[in-house]
Structures are given as structure tokens and as C-alpha cells.
Amino acid sequence: MATLYYSDDADKALVRSRKVAVIGYGSQGHAHALNLRDSGVDVRVGLREGSASKAKAEAAGLRVVSVRQAASEADLVMVLLPDTEQRAVYESEIADELAEGDALFFAHGFNIRFGLVNPPPGGDVAMVAPKGPGHLVRRTFEEGGGVPSLIAVAEDASGKAMQLALSYADALGATRAGVLETTFEEETETDLFGEQAVLCGGVSALVMAAFETLVEAGYQPESAYFECLHELKLIVDLMYEQGISGMRFSVSDTAEYGDMTRGPRVIDEHVRDEMRAILAEIRDGRFAAEWVAENAAGRPRFKALREQGRSHPIEQVGAQLRAMMPFVSKGRQRLEDVSGG
Ligand code: NAD
Ligand code: MG
């Protein structure tokens, strides 16, 4: 079994002996800055000129300076910018300010794993990656809990990089939930594969294909929506709570028999071969290179695919049906609200 670290395993003094710069004040940035500050760590937030987050961070009692100034003052720099922005900001604002012995931290391994950011030798390079969105990292901390996190070391110049990462994770609240040691390779590759094959890509393609199959056969789109999308949450909740056998225990025997005999026909050897190909593209850097080039070109394909997805019939019928079930998205930020559509 893998080793999990908890509160007693962390040397709490390590991160408290550092001047920490949190670069960015988005989902992760606000949670890291506030949790560390509340844990007694010396924190400053680095933001770009004219950042809309500046007022928010200052209202929360944080000191906000430029990215360059934060990196210059600090001897531990946590980069919490969007992954696609990290390389440019690192090169223009951070790299020059890294003194010998300064630690460079990330919350996801993408830029280090694919060689987009190349820190100089002489400093620790580590990762503290919460396995949850930033608002939960903050909220669970305030409630006395934490979000499980991964820690990893890419460069161990001090000989204590892993302990420093664990100390940071402890101040973030993560050791209250469990901290798992991993590598930049494992975190990056499994994260990308999971979101492509299952969590985002696999699931949305499966749902849309099943919806199209029913509608094409003449069934009402509303029936197809309820069956293939709406009910998915109930099944996923059962899997989340009790695993796959627990889900099967809760559904009818008819559903369970259909599951066990038909599921493997949908996810057949062709799908597994495709999953292996997708994993290979992640590991050899083809996916990263494609995504970096897409960003450099202004995201034409990304934008077109997003529009295409939004105009799919499942989205039209879904918007109508959810409007009649306001409790379904209560308290959530809705696409209709942010896109004005
Ligand atoms: P985010 O988009 O929520 O926030 C990014 C912040 O960077 C914002 O404050 C934004 O204003 C600022 N920013 C954007 N471009 C900038 C630029 N050019 N110069 C200066 N500031 C700029 O990002 P996030 O979701 O918090 O992600 C940060 C890191 O955390 C990423 O590495 C991500 O992979 C990782 N991560 C995110 C989550 C999550 O659930 N959101 C979970 C684990 C790890
Ligand atoms: Mg410095």
C-alpha cells in the first residue's frame, strides 16, 4: 500500500521558516494564500498589474504585490496561474527572482513534466496538489477539515524538499485528510488520462452517443435526456459512496445483469486500444505539444469545439428540463449566467 501522511508526520516549522509567495488569486490561489496565512505562514500574493483579484485579496487582509516583487521577496514561490499561462509568466517575472536555495512549487505537474518551465539547479522543485477545487480547499479548512492532496518532488536541492512540501500541505489543511506521495510524472499523466478517458471526455462522449442513439431510433429527446444524463448522477453517487459492487447492490437485478453483460460490449477492446493510444500521446508529450500550439494560435479549435458542444440537441432539451427543476442547480454558477446565452 502507498504511504499516506497525516498531521503528526509534518514538520510544521519548515514552511513557517519561509517567506511564501502565492502567485495568482484564482480558485487555488485564494485558498492557498488564506489557509497558509491562517496557519501562521508569512504570505504575500503576487498579481499582475490591474488584476481584478487585487481588491478581493486585500479585503481578505492579504498583502498584494507584483508577481516579480512577490517572487523576489519570497524563498518559496507557489505558482497558481492557469497552466497555459505559467511558462510565459515564469520566464518574464519569476525566473530572474529565484535566488539560490529558493523553492519553486506547483499544484499540478504539467509545466515541469513537459519541460515548459525549466527551473535553475540549486532550488527545490515540488508539488502540493489538492484533489479538489479551491473553494473546497478553503471551506473545508475553515470547518476544521481538509482536502486530500498529492505531494511530489522534481528537484531535491535541499535534501528536504519532500518534508517542505509536506509542511506546506499541512499548513494548507491537507494532512487532516491525507497526503499521498507521488511523482510529477504520475500526477500529470494520470490526471490528464483520467479527465480525457473518463471524467470529462469519456463520460460526455458516452452520454451524447447514447442520447443520439435513442433519438435516432425515434424516442423522445426528453426521455433520452432523463435516462442517459440526468440519472447518471444517482449512479455515480452510489459508486462514490460504495464502489461498483455497492452500486450494483442498489440497482435492480435486471439492471445489474444488463450492466455486466452489455457494459463490456460498449467498452470493448477497440475502446481499450484507443485508451492506450490516448495514454501514449500523453506520455510522449504529443497531447501537451498540441495544447500548447493550440493556445499559441489563439485556441481556434478549442473555441469551435466548445460552440459545437453547446449547440448539441442534448443541451437544448437539457436546458428546458432543468429550468423546470431549479433545485438541480441551486446555488451553482450556471452557464446561462456566465455566457449570457
Ligand atoms: P484559476 O484560473 O482559477 O486562477 C488563476 C489566477 O491566475 C487568477 O487569479 C488569474 O487572474 C491569474 N492569472 C491568469 N493569467 C495571468 C497572467 N498572465 N499573469 C498573472 N496572473 C494571471 O486557476 P486555478 O484553477 O486556481 O489553477 C491554478 C493551478 O492549480 C493550476 O496549475 C491548476 O492545474 C492547479 N489545480 C487546480 C485545481 C482546481 O480545481 N481549480 C485543483 C488542483 C490543482
Ligand atoms: Mg526569491
Side-chain angles (χ1 to χ4, degrees):
M1 280 295 273
T3 314
L4 276 157
Y5 299 107
Y6 294 95
S7 186
D8 287 347
D9 302 315
D11 179 348
K12 295 174 195 305
L14 281 179
V15 73
R16 289 178 180 77
S17 71
R18 296 291 187 126
K19 293 193 186 72
V20 174
V22 171
I23 309 298
Y25 199 72
S27 173
Q28 289 295 323
H30 91 283
H32 287 234
L34 293 172
N35 290 8
L36 262 63
R37 192 268 317 268
D38 291 349
S39 294
V41 177
D42 176 6
V43 178
R44 73 270 303 121
V45 176
L47 293 177
R48 62 185 150 176
E49 216 48 55
S51 165
S53 310
K54 185 166 192 259
K56 252 191 283 176
E58 286 178 340
L62 293 159
R63 190 162 74 85
V64 178
V65 295
S66 68
V67 173
R68 179 173 287 282
Q69 177 66 24
S72 158
E73 285 180 15
D75 51 19
L76 191 166
V77 179
M78 170 54 104
V79 182
L80 296 173
L81 304 166
D83 294 303
T84 48
E85 302 290 324
Q86 290 183 7
R87 176 185 211 166
V89 178
Y90 172 81
E91 284 175 359
S92 64
E93 314 286 329
I94 299 175
D96 296 341
E97 305 298 337
L98 288 178
E100 178 98 15
D102 284 1
L104 187 64
F105 274 42
F106 295 87
H108 177 41
F110 192 91
N111 282 275
I112 293 292
R113 165 63 182 83
F114 296 114
L116 301 168
V117 168
N118 291 290
D124 293 340
V125 179
M127 168 170 30
V128 178
K131 290 286 97 184
H135 74 271
L136 277 185
V137 174
R138 180 57 182 161
R139 198 211 300 158
T140 55
F141 177 89
E142 288 183 294
E143 292 167 353
V147 168
S149 300
L150 305 178
I151 55 171
V153 167
E155 196 60 57
D156 188 9
S158 68
K160 293 189 94 170
M162 196 66 84
Q163 287 96 315
L164 182 60
L166 183 57
S167 186
Y168 184 106
D170 180 71
L172 192 59
T175 56
R176 300 167 180 172
V179 171
L180 178 69
E181 194 176 310
T182 181
T183 61
F184 273 66
E185 290 75 18
E186 182 174 82
E187 186 272 341
T188 308
E189 293 161 21
T190 57
D191 185 80
L192 290 170
F193 179 77
E195 67 201 19
Q196 293 177 16
V198 184
L199 306 174
C200 309
V203 164
S204 53
L206 185 69
V207 165
M208 286 193 278
F211 174 91
E212 286 166 11
T213 303
L214 287 177
V215 171
E216 184 185 278
Y219 297 98
Q220 302 179 81
E222 290 79 4
S223 299
Y225 178 86
F226 282 132
E227 281 305 324
C228 301
L229 190 152
H230 183 79
E231 265 195 61
L232 183 61
K233 172 172 169 37
L234 312 175
I235 296 301
V236 169
D237 282 349
L238 290 170
M239 289 170 62
Y240 176 83
E241 288 159 16
Q242 315 182 51
I244 289 171
S245 299
M247 178 275 286
R248 287 175 172 167
F249 173 77
S250 292
V251 301
S252 70
D253 286 357
T254 308
E256 186 176 358
Y257 181 73
D259 160 353
M260 297 182 297
T261 57
R262 268 54 180 179
R265 285 174 53 188
V266 175
I267 308 300
D268 60 6
E269 205 45 44
H270 166 75
V271 173
R272 286 169 190 270
D273 282 342
E274 206 54 53
M275 285 185 176
R276 291 182 195 107
I278 285 167
L279 181 59
E281 286 169 28
I282 291 169
R283 294 171 62 150
D284 67 17
R286 265 177 292 167
F287 173 77
E290 178 183 320
W291 179 222
V292 167
E294 173 71 11
N295 276 283
R299 302 189 167 193
R301 187 171 180 213
F302 179 87
K303 289 177 189 160
L305 289 171
R306 181 186 263 173
E307 268 323 301
Q308 192 184 314
R310 285 182 180 178
S311 58
H312 190 279
I314 198 170
E315 299 291 73
Q316 318 300 318
V317 69
Q320 287 164 18
L321 293 172
R322 287 194 303 276
M324 302 306 290
M325 306 183 285
F327 51 89
V328 163
S329 43
K330 196 167 113 250
R332 294 255 190 277
Q333 192 179 36
R334 292 156 67 240
L335 177 63
E336 290 86 353
D337 300 336
V338 293
S339 68

